[in-house]
Amino acid sequence: MLTPETEADLAEAVCAATGPLRIIGGGTRPIGKPVAGEVLSAAGLSGVSLYEPGALTLVVQAGTPFAEVEAVLAAEGQRLPFEPMDHRALLGTSGAPTIGGVVAANVSGPRRVQGGACRDYLIGVRFVDGTGAVVKNGGRVMKNVTGYDLVKLMAGSWGSLGVLSEVSFKVLAAPGAEASLVARGLSAEQGVAALSAGLGSPFDVSGAAHLDARSSDEARTQVRIEGLAGSVAYRAGRLAELLPGFEVVEGAQSAALWQEVRDVTPFAGRDGAVWRISVKPSDGPLLAGLGEAIFDWGGGLVWLLVPEEGDCGAAAIRARVAELGGHATLVRASEAARAAVAVFPPEPAPVAALTAGLRAKFDPRGILNPGIMG
Amino acid sequence: MEMPAPDASILAKKPRVVARLAEALPAGAVISDPTETRVYECDGLTAYKCPPLAAVLPSTTEEVAAVLKICHEEGVPVVPRGSGTSLAGGALPTADSVILGVARMNEVLEVDYDNRFIRVQTGRTNLSVTGAVEEDDFFYAPDPSSQLACAIAGNIAMNSGGAHCLKYGVTTNNLMGVRMVTMAGEIVEIGGAHLDAGGLDLLGVICGSEGQLGVVTEATLRILRKPEGARPVLMGYDSAEVAGQVVSDIIKAGVLPVAIEFMDRPCIRATDDFSGAGYPDCEALLIVEVEGSDAEITEQLGVINQIARGHNPVELREAKDADEAARIWLGRKAAFGAMGQINDYMCLDGTIPVSELPYVLRRTEELSKEYGLDVANVFHAGDGNMHPLILFDANKEGDLETCEALGAEILKLCVEVGGCLTGEHGVGVEKRDLMGAQYSDADMEAQMRVKDVFDPDWLLNPAKVFPLAVTASRRDFAA
């Protein structure tokens, strides 16, 4: 296993590689086609490079444990606003997730629907491309249109375009209060319609999810608001008027509801393959017949639990998603199943040609997590 | 500023190229008479001018594809153009290029409130996107100052921002999908009414690529419900340092204003004379705006005003009603017009870490004295996006050159303190030759590889973004 501790060592390791490299951070997200190759761990690149709370800016080495990043920010009353999922429960992995892994997988939780994804808060990257060259893009300021935006391209590229060495974020103050409005027993259609009403209100909803009856004791629909205490109380009251039958839950009780959605814990420890599907929110309920479902992002992010047999439902799910518009990724399945099924969504030919072209340019030898995204 | 010499073989075959374009497009969509192509000789950066070979104004994506296919076959460079409001020369033609204007493509294609998006043709202006949904209390968040005129096509090309992006983000954070035509004339769909990419985030790199990767003809944009209300507060301070500290303290305090605007003394004076806004006479003025219901606004301003008072303001004025709110914004919104009335000016837009604000303002003042040209500052302070306005006299020999040299110094200063050359206007031709101050050759090489994939012949929007010396081998090879 290669464990560089500096960017220069990382560049040298990639440069010197003679075969495929399997790039890992904390190794808690074994998603994608299985990759054969020498393990290159970024975990040795660790530590905060720069933190300016007054400028809402954090620059951190890619291998820094995510928990450490959270602790550093919490000490100043700040946080990464995109609420990344911890995959350990769902995928049955252990170890310490790294910030670089969060970026490489563009992991974004319930707050994505309001504030944006990991890629929206990522303002700079440094990485080593497949030739061993060190590249920087973006920087440490939150408004920057100088040159092409490779920052977005690196987010969610799963290490296939370059190995991240450093990442910069816009951070935000953690709010003083939160509350959720919760209803029980709604159908998926009713639930998503209520979420849409909440998200279309002026009350700045920061989470909107529905768990079907099999994933909770009873179907549960929930809408979250965060902010200053007075404002949260006001908006909770207004939303309660807008959404009859919803009850207000506050503080830690509210936070627990969202951690469950964020980490998809109802599917943790249970048999079956898990899909992550992004569609137009009102289309979400149309997928409910294909498996047990948890809807986040107002209905637009659908987690599906299906039997792990045959193609894990790939053909049926992808055909339906193709009709609706969107994409489906097989997040959890055995290594054999992931080797047999396209884990990431197959792209239409012209888009696939662009994607393949970019891979060939950034990693001409095809050594960085080859084939991980199919 | 240097531009590559026009390709004589292209100039020579103008009649054939024009005939082919005219055959592919409806009557009146091809402009080739030199008196008429002059309309397209420049954009908002009027210091540089060059009429194009021809201009085309297609009405559909298919027509755009036909134009690009022809130009691709003929090896003719294409310069995409939205409304031509770029301050960076993003739509500046070369003599051997065809201007592809999307102005006739301005329809709203779909509005979906349940799923909170609007799909438009990209020739539509920024403000009229909000115009299409505001009766139903929705809006499109990015709001560049030119929003009355600027097109969504240009917003996507430059990843435009605005005064309210501290809270709502810039174009890339509000763009969900595009329909785009590549230089080879192929139509691709990327993203849509769903969130995020299933594979590589191509949308993320297309947004902000200054029209060099493809021509975007349709866009799916996120729309938001309007807040219940908004209220600004005005603060005056005796020094830029203190005002900078106030900005920092506010964003740390857990309230997120939608806007924090900053004006320095030269700018305050000029705009106040012009607009009669009644601004205090002080070194630094802040306008902070928050949103919500009355009660929520009061709660947020309670936190903000406490911070403001703690730093001994010369003046602290909260708008009591819509009229007073308008008066607070009056001067800020008139700033560019006011400056334009007293002088020619060049508007820069480098971004700096907020913590470097006092140093950058001090150093800018020193440079201003050194070069003998006045500089007024008005900018989005919450995110460090400066807008130094360098005042010069376009009719005075050498003044423009001095202005450009001073501008380059100020932008290099932004980079030195950890910032960047451009926060929302784009590189275009204006900052092209300064790219080396921010990015190494390897950094630029990585960006140019993206161009190699989307436009292997380097025909789209030539001679922009990257220094000519850096792109020379690619342009020679393609030719």
Side-chain angles (χ1 to χ4, degrees):
Chain A
M1 183 162 87
L2 301 164
T3 55
E5 291 184 2
T6 65
E7 189 180 70
D9 288 349
L10 172 64
E12 205 178 294
V14 173
C15 212
T18 53
L21 296 171
R22 187 161 79 84
I23 300 140
I24 63 165
T28 66
R29 307 178 209 270
I31 297 171
K33 289 270 188 202
V35 174
E38 183 168 16
V39 172
L40 169 60
S41 167
L45 295 151
S46 187
V48 172
S49 311
L50 175 103
Y51 179 31
E52 278 191 21
L56 303 177
T57 313
L58 175 75
V59 184
V60 62
Q61 302 286 300
T64 311
F66 183 72
E68 195 179 315
V69 173
E70 278 191 310
V72 166
L73 292 171
E76 291 287 341
Q78 295 185 332
R79 67 180 180 186
L80 290 172
F82 52 91
E83 204 177 4
M85 169 181 186
D86 181 341
H87 279 80
R88 286 177 291 189
L90 180 68
L91 302 182
T93 52
S94 57
T98 62
I99 189 69
V102 167
V103 170
N106 188 28
V107 186
S108 318
R111 204 173 291 112
R112 194 270 172 264
V113 71
Q114 173 217 33
C118 173
R119 55 89 95 177
D120 293 299
Y121 289 93
L122 188 69
I123 55 177
V125 291
R126 295 180 64 92
F127 63 92
V128 174
D129 73 8
T131 70
V134 174
V135 177
K136 73 166 181 299
N137 194 261
R140 53 176 276 216
V141 288
M142 59 179 91
K143 263 173 96 180
N144 185 349
V145 296
T146 319
Y148 295 171
D149 192 347
L150 304 183
V151 172
K152 304 279 184 299
L153 191 61
M154 292 305 291
S157 64
W158 294 86
S160 66
L161 299 180
V163 187
L164 293 165
S165 52
E166 189 177 82
V167 288
S168 314
F169 293 97
K170 170 185 177 179
V171 303
L172 287 177
E178 80 162 85
S180 294
L181 287 97
V182 183
R184 313 242 171 212
L186 301 182
S187 69
E189 289 77 10
Q190 291 167 327
V192 167
L195 300 180
S196 176
L199 287 165
S201 78
F203 306 121
D204 211 9
V205 165
S206 74
H210 175 87
L211 294 79
D212 88 11
R214 289 165 292 182
S215 299
S216 197
D217 300 340
E218 201 181 351
R220 193 175 86 211
T221 311
Q222 55 192 55
V223 169
R224 177 176 62 187
I225 41 182
E226 300 168 284
L228 298 175
S231 167
V232 167
Y234 166 80
R235 285 181 284 146
R238 294 296 304 273
L239 277 167
E241 289 165 20
L242 185 72
L243 304 171
F246 279 69
E247 288 181 6
V248 179
V249 172
E250 292 171 321
Q253 227 182 327
S254 165
L257 294 176
W258 291 101
Q259 188 171 343
E260 200 181 332
V261 172
R262 186 194 76 181
D263 294 344
V264 201
T265 46
F267 294 171
R270 291 173 57 193
D271 289 339
V274 175
W275 289 85
R276 181 181 182 275
I277 304 167
S278 178
V279 289
K280 191 165 75 179
S282 60
D283 286 343
L286 303 176
L287 297 167
L290 295 166
E292 185 176 328
I294 295 172
F295 304 89
D296 196 358
W297 300 356
L301 178 67
V302 186
W303 295 95
L304 272 188
L305 180 68
V306 300
E308 188 170 338
E309 46 196 48
D311 69 350
C312 299
I317 289 168
R318 290 222 160 100
R320 192 74 180 108
V321 171
E323 285 167 16
L324 300 172
H327 52 81
T329 304
L330 178 58
V331 167
R332 187 180 79 187
S334 68
E335 216 170 282
R338 283 185 285 126
V341 177
V343 171
F344 285 86
E347 293 170 325
V351 177
L354 294 173
T355 294
L358 290 172
R359 285 225 168 75
K361 289 284 181 186
F362 281 82
D363 178 23
R365 293 182 292 164
I367 58 167
L368 302 179
N369 272 351
I372 190 168
M373 294 179 79
Chain B
M1 196 231 4
E2 189 199 346
M3 288 298 270
D7 183 331
S9 70
I10 294 175
L11 300 181
K13 67 182 173 185
K14 174 174 173 178
R16 186 175 85 199
V17 173
V18 168
R20 286 192 69 187
L21 291 170
E23 200 179 323
L25 297 179
V30 180
I31 297 158
S32 59
D33 186 308
T35 56
E36 294 178 53
T37 54
R38 277 199 64 183
V39 174
Y40 299 95
E41 68 183 3
C42 70
D43 55 21
L45 184 68
T46 53
Y48 308 119
K49 295 183 170 117
C50 174
L53 189 74
V56 294
L57 299 170
S59 301
T60 65
T61 301
E62 288 67 28
E63 287 176 16
V64 170
V67 167
L68 288 168
K69 207 166 258 172
I70 290 167
C71 291
H72 186 242
E73 282 167 14
E74 297 284 353
V76 176
V78 173
V79 176
R81 180 178 167 111
S83 298
T85 58
S86 172
L87 294 172
L92 176 71
T94 52
D96 56 5
S97 71
V98 168
I99 283 273
L100 195 170
V102 294
R104 288 186 181 171
M105 302 176 65
N106 57 8
E107 296 292 312
V108 171
L109 302 170
E110 187 180 3
V111 176
D112 185 333
Y113 294 120
D114 281 341
N115 294 300
R116 301 164 300 282
F117 72 84
I118 183 170
R119 198 157 56 84
V120 298
Q121 291 184 313
T122 54
R124 196 169 182 85
T125 62
N126 175 292
L127 194 61
S128 72
V129 172
T130 288
V133 296
E134 70 183 342
E135 270 190 18
D136 297 296
D137 287 329
F138 278 77
F139 73 109
Y140 173 60
D143 60 343
S145 298
S146 56
Q147 68 180 154
L148 184 64
C150 65
I152 292 298
N155 289 183
I156 293 170
M158 295 310 199
N159 189 14
S160 304
H164 292 78
C165 48
L166 183 59
K167 179 167 178 186
Y168 296 115
V170 295
T171 301
T172 192
N173 311 115
N174 292 278
L175 175 68
M176 301 167 70
V178 294
R179 191 163 194 228
M180 185 182 86
V181 189
T182 64
M183 187 62 218
E186 191 155 39
I187 300 170
V188 293
E189 307 270 353
I190 295 169
H194 57 278
L195 293 174
D196 297 341
L200 293 183
D201 189 353
L202 301 182
L203 188 63
V205 75
I206 288 166
C207 189
S209 61
E210 307 208 5
Q212 293 196 314
L213 301 185
V215 177
V216 176
T217 57
E218 292 177 18
T220 305
L221 307 168
R222 181 171 80 136
I223 51 172
L224 300 169
R225 180 71 185 266
K226 274 190 186 164
E228 291 183 278
R231 199 187 303 161
V233 52
L234 178 149
M235 310 164 185
Y237 289 97
D238 265 339
S239 82
E241 276 89 348
V242 175
Q245 190 59 48
V246 171
V247 171
S248 200
D249 287 355
I250 288 172
I251 57 182
K252 243 173 87 174
V255 285
L256 189 63
V258 278
I260 306 180
E261 299 289 298
F262 186 114
M263 293 163 75
D264 70 358
R265 186 187 285 275
C267 190
I268 297 167
R269 281 201 179 142
T271 57
D272 206 49
D273 290 349
F274 179 76
S275 70
Y279 287 164
D281 187 22
C282 58
E283 281 301 318
L285 188 146
L286 297 174
I287 298 173
V288 182
E289 182 161 276
V290 296
E291 289 178 344
S293 66
D294 271 349
E296 286 175 282
I297 286 173
T298 303
E299 186 181 26
Q300 293 174 75
L301 288 184
V303 176
I304 289 169
N305 289 343
Q306 195 183 349
I307 292 167
R309 274 192 212 97
H311 291 280
N312 300 316
V314 175
E315 180 160 342
L316 181 63
R317 189 199 306 169
E318 188 179 320
K320 294 281 176 293
D321 52 39
D323 211 42
E324 286 188 24
R327 270 173 61 81
I328 286 180
W329 275 111
L330 187 64
R332 168 63 185 92
K333 291 194 170 162
F336 287 54
M339 287 303 176
Q341 202 189 40
I342 55 174
N343 258 100
D344 297 304
Y345 67 81
M346 176 181 265
C347 174
L348 307 174
D349 87 313
T351 307
I352 56 163
V354 178
S355 49
E356 299 290 341
L357 201 58
Y359 169 72
V360 171
L361 289 175
R362 208 163 49 234
R363 184 76 191 112
T364 300
E365 202 182 330
E366 287 167 12
L367 288 167
S368 156
K369 284 190 184 128
E370 209 173 296
Y371 281 80
L373 291 176
D374 286 337
V375 178
N377 281 287
V378 47
F379 56 91
H380 314 307
D383 42 35
N385 191 188
M386 311 275 291
H387 283 314
L389 303 176
I390 306 176
L391 309 180
F392 71 103
D393 183 350
N395 295 319
K396 194 171 145 195
E397 183 86 17
D399 234 26
L400 172 65
E401 288 71 23
T402 309
C403 171
E404 285 177 335
L406 171 56
E409 286 301 314
I410 293 174
L411 292 181
K412 283 183 200 159
L413 170 66
C414 291
V415 174
E416 269 166 36
V417 300
C420 65
L421 297 172
T422 168
E424 57 183 4
H425 295 174
V427 177
V429 290
E430 188 200 23
K431 283 152 289 207
R432 183 191 69 192
D433 297 322
L434 292 172
M435 279 287 275
Q438 184 169 336
Y439 286 125
S440 71
D441 285 352
D443 299 337
M444 285 190 272
E445 176 65 27
Q447 296 175 34
M448 291 190 296
R449 284 185 208 139
V450 177
K451 170 94 169 151
D452 291 339
V453 171
F454 282 77
D455 175 23
D457 300 328
W458 280 64
L459 289 172
L460 262 178
N461 215 8
K464 315 274 169 70
V465 185
F466 306 104
L468 292 185
V470 172
T471 59
S473 62
R474 281 173 160 90
R475 286 182 290 117
D476 291 348
F477 180 76

